[in-house]
Every structure is written in C-alpha cells, then in structure tokens.
Amino acid sequence: MKPRKPLVAGNWKMNGGTLANEHLFTGLRASIDRHLMSQVELIVCPPYPYLGQAAAWLGDTDIAWGGQNVASLESGAFTGEVSATMLEDLGCKWTIVGHSERRTLLGEEDETISRKAELALAQKLNVIYCIGETLDERERDITEEVLRQQIERAAPVIASAPAERFVIAYEPVWAIGTGRSATPEQAQAVHEFIRTTMAAMGVQHARQIRIVYGGSVKPSNALALFSMPDIDGGLIGGASLVADEFVAICRAAALG
Ligand code: PEP
C-alpha cells in the first residue's frame, strides 16, 4: 500500500464532441464505483467547450473534471484565453499546466507555467504540473539537468501548495502519443530523482506530493508502472478516450 493516494487523470486533448463524450461519460459512470473511487482519485480533462457537459454528467459522481490549460493572467483583453476563475466557475477542481505539447508547439516557458500554477492555486484549483525531457535531451544524457531546471522554476509554487493540491506529471516527451512508454525502471529512477530534487530545493512535503507518470500508458503496462514505489498514478492521453481502457488503467492504479 503506497503512502500516497494514487491519482489518474485523462487528458482528452483536442478530441471529442457532444455525442462521443456522452458515450465516454456513460461508460465511465457504468464502471467506476464508489469502491474504486475510495482507492484512486480520478479526473477527466475534456476540451474547454465540454466542461459544462462534464459537470452535467459527472456532477453526482466522485470523478472530478479539470482544464487542460489555464491562462497566466487573471482577466481582461486576452482573446481566446480561459482564466482560473472561469474554470472554477465551471466546477473544475483541477487544471493541467505545462503539458509538453504546449511547451513545444506553443512556446510555453517555465516562468509562465509556474505563474499559471500560482493563479490556479489562488483560485482554489488543484494543479497537475507537467515536466519532462525530449528525446534529444535524453540521448544527450541531460535528462536530470533538464528536469532539475524545470523543478527549480516550480519549487516556490510547489513549496507553497498543500500536498494534496499539487501533482507533478513526469512525461518524457518521447513517450507521449508514440506508443513507446518508458520502462517501469526508467520511470521509477526519474520519479525518485524528482522527489529527492524537490526535497533538496526546500519542498518540505516532497514525500507527500504525488508524482504521476505520463507517456503511452495502456492497460497492458499500467500495473507494472504503478507498482513502482515513486509512481503514484498516471496522466493518460490516448487511452483516456476509450472508457474500458481508462477504467482498466484506474483499476491498475488501485492495485499498484
Ligand atoms: C499526454 O498527453 O499527457 C499523454 C501521456 O498522452 P499518451 O498517453 O497518449 O501518450
């Protein structure tokens, strides 16, 4: 039994639509019972326009919903942005920040990402903060250096957040959406490094903070990953779009 309650979050990315979502919500409602919810914290992150639909379908369950991103500014003339207050208004309990697709495709940097986390926390949203190295960085053997820098920028906000409201998602960029997951041993080594680095940087509750793994998690590899001592669940992309697969991954988190 792990000292931290496992957490599994589904990142739907820019997928779905009203009908497809209905199908997915129906599948989740049918399979996720109170017993599973008592063992694992579950979150789904649909695209912004469907957060109201998530509230309607999940409002009477213990499954939480959240944003895939949030603005780094409070309000005002920022066309297309969505603030932490708005997410909270739509019943979100969580938001993801710093996903690698936003870092690499949209140029988001650590400073902006930690600002987003700060604003989200101030607005009573809990945060899933993504970090990870690219394939090139891993091949150049600078994974720890890259992660140390990402953790250093985030350390003040992590240190100020209650442990249960802040989750680190370690997502090696080379494993996201590629079908090529990190091995459980590779992921464990990095999770342990992240935890000790946070502690060395003054995060006193580093042992209580959940560190989840993301990158091609499937029902077939979930249990081996989640059984590792420092892997506290997963951030799931592709497999979160299929109810049976997502539920199987949640069950693996309960066992892990
Ligand atoms: C993700 O988008 O955060 C992710 C981990 O995707 P996938 O599971 O599809 O690799």
Side-chain angles (χ1 to χ4, degrees), residues 117 121 125-127 154-167 203 205 209:
L121 288 165
L125 290 173
N126 304 339
V127 169
V157 66
I158 308 175
S160 71
E164 68 282 4
R165 296 190 53 209
F166 203 97
V167 170
V203 177
H205 51 355
I209 300 250

Side-chain angles (χ1 to χ4, degrees), residues 11 13 96 99-101 130 171 175-179 213-218 235-240:
N11 173 15
K13 311 195 187 192
I96 298 171
H99 191 278
S100 71
E101 284 150 18
C130 303
E171 300 208 300
I176 297 180
T178 59
Y213 168 81
S216 299
V217 178
K218 308 178 266 292
L235 179 54
I236 318 298
S240 71

